[in-house]
Amino acid sequence: MSLDSINTPRWSRRFTFILAATGAAVGLGNIWKFPYIMGENGGAAFVLVYLLCILIVGLPVMIAEMTIGKSARKSPVGSVLSMVSEANASRYWSIIAWMGCITGLIILSYYSVIAGWVLHYIGDAFSGSFQGITPASAGESFDALLAAPSTLLIWHSVFMGMTIAVVAAGVTQGVGRAVEFLMPLLFALLLIVLAYSAWVGDFATAFSYMFKPDFSNLSGQAVLTALGHAFFSLALGMGALMAYGAYMPENSSVARSAVLVALLDTLVALVAGLAIYPIVFATPDLAPDSGPGLLFQSLPVAFGSMSGGVIMGGIFFVLVAVAAWSSSIALIEPSVAFWTERKKISRIPATLILGVACWFVGIGSVLSFNLWKNYKLFDKFTFFDFVDFLTANILLPFGGLLTAIFVGYIVVTKTRDEQLLNMPPLLKTILIWSLKVVAPLLIALVMSVGLIKTFT
Ligand code: PHE
């Protein structure tokens, strides 16, 4: 990768930036989380709201984040501060980036635990233990995994180690290269699983479950979950795309990149849903609302009955792990970038210290599936549920709200517009309005209603 004359490294090609941003966006959120929260929230109506959230709120905020990073070319905190000083605004705005760093670290703590499940399943798949597996025994082996804190802890540690290793080496070095061929491969494999499960499963029911909305069972809480997931899945609201935007080549278009990343991310989520649900509906023991185990209970059954399933299943879980890996990097990068920029600490110790801290917090999520299963915060959340709810449904949308307002009102217009030069005027007007008015109001409304419904 080339080093630019100004000391920030850049990804040498436009395409590499798109792939790295897609690598951040596409991850467990698409393949593991989207299918099961869709099932918990009633299917198609939730899907529709989710798509609207991406279009109306997610896309404008994504453009805003990339704009900040690409104009200032620093860590998220540094970038926000340079925009603040250019505009003579209050330094308190840097809370956006601060909060984002912390949010990313909290997400990484439990993200790594779930990615650990995926690592465990790679071994299971390649060793042939899915062969001829029944839905009931797939459920039992998943439950057995969750019941074993030491196994979960080992895989959580392995995954965190993998994340630390890449981030310590520097994001422009490792990440750009790896995602370049692994992301397309993941997508190809998802399509194969989709074709297979459409072949053996109940595709018609799955399709209407996902695309024929019935709004009667859409709750205020579900709308908040959809909004939160739009942020989570697009990797928004915590500065990741600001951090990546800083490495963006000068000649790439912020708006076009954002549209492409959002499209790819959405496509992967929908394909993952369509690959999983035909199997769920063809399997009497599996229900759409099975929760976080949905992926791990449905796909082994599919791989176990398909010819070549041992290899295919193994490769599939490897690729999901890679997708999780390229996302986990984006979760910790803003903090590492900030710390190395400010305190003159070098990348390796900074990454190690932050990574170990996340690992430690992650132990809470490990235990929440077994020893601490019955400790409930607010009478409803396990530790895992709580960190997930806090980050996805509160901190990310709130970060997005502040980012929209910041770019809508505070950032100097000339600076902002430099990044939007090649946008058609009408789209640009829509974008500015959605940053100034629509996105902040919608986020505030959905968050207030959702939080009230959740806690009353
Ligand atoms: N977008 C990632 C996923 O869907 C998670 C993520 C969130 C990554 C926020 C970076 C920042 O799995």
Side-chain angles (χ1 to χ4, degrees), residues 62-372:
M62 187 184 271
I63 295 176
E65 280 200 20
M66 289 179 179
T67 297
I68 296 175
K70 190 179 166 213
S71 336
R73 300 216 178 270
K74 298 202 174 106
S75 79
V77 178
S79 291
V80 172
L81 281 175
S82 26
M83 310 240 123
V84 158
S85 65
E86 190 189 22
N88 257 327
S90 155
R91 289 177 65 86
Y92 284 122
W93 280 105
S94 63
I95 182 88
I96 299 179
W98 275 107
M99 206 176 73
C101 289
I102 294 167
T103 309
L105 297 176
I106 305 178
I107 296 180
L108 180 57
S109 77
Y110 69 85
Y111 201 83
S112 165
V113 175
I114 312 293
W117 302 355
V118 176
L119 294 180
H120 177 85
Y121 268 70
I122 296 176
D124 275 7
F126 277 126
S127 68
S129 44
F130 296 162
Q131 287 306 86
I133 199 172
T134 62
S137 53
E140 276 161 26
S141 48
F142 180 70
D143 292 342
L145 172 65
L146 292 199
S150 52
T151 314
L152 296 183
L153 188 63
I154 291 172
W155 289 117
H156 165 50
S157 315
V158 172
F159 187 81
M160 199 60 91
M162 290 163 53
T163 304
I164 291 174
V166 174
V167 177
V171 163
T172 47
Q173 295 298 319
V175 192
R177 300 248 176 98
V179 289
E180 212 152 316
F181 70 98
L182 291 171
M183 282 288 126
L185 198 60
L186 171 70
F187 195 63
L189 214 78
L190 260 182
L191 288 178
I192 295 177
V193 181
L194 167 69
Y196 181 81
S197 93
W199 176 258
V200 300
D202 184 351
F203 190 73
T205 309
F207 194 84
S208 62
Y209 182 75
M210 281 179 63
F211 297 110
K212 281 223 184 88
D214 167 8
F215 289 97
S216 61
N217 48 22
L218 190 74
S219 64
Q221 213 177 327
V223 178
L224 176 60
T225 306
L227 178 74
H229 189 65
F231 281 99
F232 185 90
S233 190
L234 295 176
L236 294 179
M238 43 80 53
L241 296 182
M242 272 180 225
Y244 278 18
Y247 309 126
M248 212 169 160
E250 201 53 64
N251 61 352
S252 42
S253 146
V254 164
R256 240 180 289 149
S257 312
V259 169
L260 201 58
V261 173
L263 258 179
L264 288 172
D265 186 70
T266 309
L267 204 63
V268 173
L270 293 177
V271 170
L274 281 175
I276 289 176
Y277 273 93
I279 297 166
V280 173
F281 285 116
T283 311
D285 290 334
L286 260 178
D289 61 354
S290 313
L294 192 69
L295 170 76
F296 299 93
Q297 289 166 325
S298 56
L299 289 194
V301 179
F303 290 123
S305 60
M306 107 180 31
S307 62
V310 174
I311 300 291
M312 209 105 92
I315 298 178
F316 178 81
F317 281 104
V318 168
L319 292 172
V320 176
V322 171
W325 198 8
S326 60
S327 296
S328 66
I329 289 161
L331 287 165
I332 193 173
E333 173 61 21
S335 309
V336 172
F338 169 61
W339 210 10
T340 49
E341 176 179 275
R342 262 319 146 78
K343 298 279 189 290
K344 308 290 174 217
I345 179 176
S346 65
R347 207 163 231 283
I348 295 175
T351 313
L352 258 177
I353 295 170
L354 293 170
V356 170
C358 288
W359 172 85
F360 184 74
V361 177
I363 295 175
S365 291
V366 164
L367 296 178
S368 72
F369 292 103
N370 36 68
L371 303 179
W372 290 358

